Amino acid sequence: MPVLNDASHVRAAVESILAQEYDGPVEVLIALGPSIDGTTELVADLASRHARVLVLENEVGSTPAGLNIGIRAAAHPVVVRVDSHSMLPADYTRIAVETLVRTGADNVGGIMDARGETPFEQAVALAYTTPVGLGGSAFHVGGQEGPAETVYLGVFRKSALERVGLFDETIKRGQDWELNRRLRQTGGGVWFTPELAVTYRPRSSLDRLARQMFSTGLWRGELARRFPASNGIRYFVPPAMVVGVVIGLVLGVIGIVQAATGQAPWLLVGFAAPLLYLLFVVVATIAYARGRGAATAAWFLLVLPCIHVAWGAGFVLGFLSLTSNIAKHTGR
């Protein structure tokens, strides 16, 4: 588990690992990045209380670097990737290992079961788990067991990870998709099963969500540029929406200028693009947030555009080869 500045969630994540009902040796490897919010002290306390918890230094601080540090240090043939925002059900490891053995896959994963506590977090969780939010991937919305392009987190054969050279540390986000691509290209299998559902705690504020989505979209755009033949159409919908809305707004403003100068304001038609998107958001809120409470529904009206716009804008910049420039200044 790579950890960086996550004092709010890491204890629950580690406790869910220690509570695994698995008949076999287990070690908990925490790759700790340079944190300033008390995470370092919290993790040290956990390690002092539990002999199975080992803290590894991750000087770089990035997720793929932390994952590779943990994989190299791992003593056992199965590697269970855990996120510090996630909580594993008690039977997670047992079911995953049984599925690895049964299917012969290199990687097994399940559903990212987002669950919020506040109305805002509940709205984010709802957006994560509906097709209008983060798309229709099985690990977000569920589906039938079977081969998959990628899965959430993942339970790997260590030998398979070594076969493909571990995670690419130049990819700060989306490294799981890229790794699974290499596993499949080298003859390995990636397997999805809805039996594995990991509780995930979403970001707790709009600005944190926007930063997460921008960073995720940025690296998704980078991956789409690097591997153009390996991308589904769903990845291009948010950036297309962002570009369409921006162009529509610009044309609409020019239409206002036309009207003010006595010309035929035919470019006002550009406002149709943002209006259509707003209509989509309202309809999606009615369809998916109805019955969830007024506060959650109200937040959903803001959360959905936040995800789409931040992710889509990031994708455009990443696709235009600006990822490394932005990452130098933000670390993401």
Side-chain angles (χ1 to χ4, degrees):
M1 181 170 67
V3 178
L4 175 68
N5 288 326
D6 206 354
S8 300
H9 301 95
V10 66
R11 184 181 296 277
V14 172
E15 287 175 350
S16 77
I17 300 171
L18 295 171
Q20 291 296 289
E21 298 169 354
Y22 180 71
D23 294 329
V26 174
E27 58 181 354
V28 183
L29 304 173
I30 300 176
L32 177 65
S35 301
I36 58 174
D37 69 340
T39 298
T40 301
E41 294 77 11
L42 195 157
V43 167
D45 178 66
L46 288 168
S48 69
R49 294 170 182 270
H50 304 282
R52 289 184 293 167
V53 176
L54 177 64
V55 180
L56 309 170
E57 186 176 4
N58 176 15
E59 293 182 357
V60 176
S62 73
T63 296
L67 289 169
N68 286 345
I69 288 169
I71 292 165
R72 292 189 182 103
H76 303 303
V78 173
V79 174
V80 182
R81 177 182 175 179
V82 186
D83 187 280
S84 60
H85 273 250
S86 64
M87 289 184 289
L88 306 181
D91 58 0
Y92 182 84
T93 303
R94 177 182 59 78
I95 292 174
V97 173
E98 289 174 354
T99 306
L100 277 177
V101 173
R102 173 170 57 85
T103 64
D106 284 341
N107 181 19
V108 169
I111 297 172
M112 175 183 172
D113 185 17
R115 293 177 181 266
E117 296 177 335
T118 67
F120 173 80
E121 292 173 357
Q122 289 167 4
V124 177
L126 180 61
Y128 279 7
T129 55
T130 57
V132 297
L134 290 181
S137 298
F139 68 84
H140 284 305
V141 300
Q144 296 294 317
E145 181 181 36
E149 177 185 60
T150 191
V151 291
Y152 180 56
L153 297 179
V155 177
F156 302 85
R157 297 177 189 270
K158 184 180 178 182
S159 60
L161 292 170
E162 293 171 335
R163 184 183 77 235
V164 298
L166 309 189
F167 286 90
D168 185 337
E169 294 186 22
T170 68
I171 300 174
K172 307 299 184 184
R173 297 254 182 166
Q175 65 280 143
D176 47 354
W177 178 89
E178 191 277 334
L179 176 76
N180 285 319
R181 175 180 175 276
R182 280 184 282 135
L183 288 176
R184 291 184 285 104
Q185 281 190 330
T186 55
V190 178
W191 192 266
F192 168 80
T193 174
E195 282 191 89
L196 298 175
V198 180
T199 299
Y200 175 84
R201 295 302 185 196
R203 297 301 189 269
S204 58
S205 66
L206 204 61
D207 65 314
R208 290 183 178 182
L209 176 66
R211 289 200 300 269
Q212 179 195 22
M213 289 297 111
F214 179 81
S215 179
T216 303
L218 182 73
W219 285 100
R220 184 67 253 179
E222 169 79 11
L223 291 171
R225 181 178 55 79
R226 288 194 198 183
F227 311 108
S230 302
N231 295 277
I233 189 67
R234 70 178 184 274
Y235 295 124
F236 295 90
V237 174
M241 179 278 297
V242 169
V243 171
V245 167
V246 169
I247 291 174
L249 287 171
V250 170
L251 293 177
V253 169
I254 295 174
I256 293 175
V257 174
Q258 286 178 321
T261 57
Q263 303 176 56
W266 61 275
L267 286 179
L268 287 173
V269 71
F271 284 130
L275 288 174
L276 282 173
Y277 176 69
L278 288 175
L279 178 62
F280 164 79
V281 171
V282 171
V283 171
T285 301
I286 294 171
Y288 291 102
R290 183 173 52 192
R292 306 272 182 162
T296 298
W299 274 119
F300 193 79
L301 282 168
L302 294 176
V303 163
L304 204 57
C306 176
I307 289 174
H308 293 161
V309 173
W311 198 99
F315 184 100
V316 172
L317 295 175
F319 196 77
L320 295 176
S321 304
L322 297 177
T323 306
S324 59
N325 296 18
I326 296 171
K328 282 181 183 177
H329 298 287
T330 65
R332 297 175 182 273

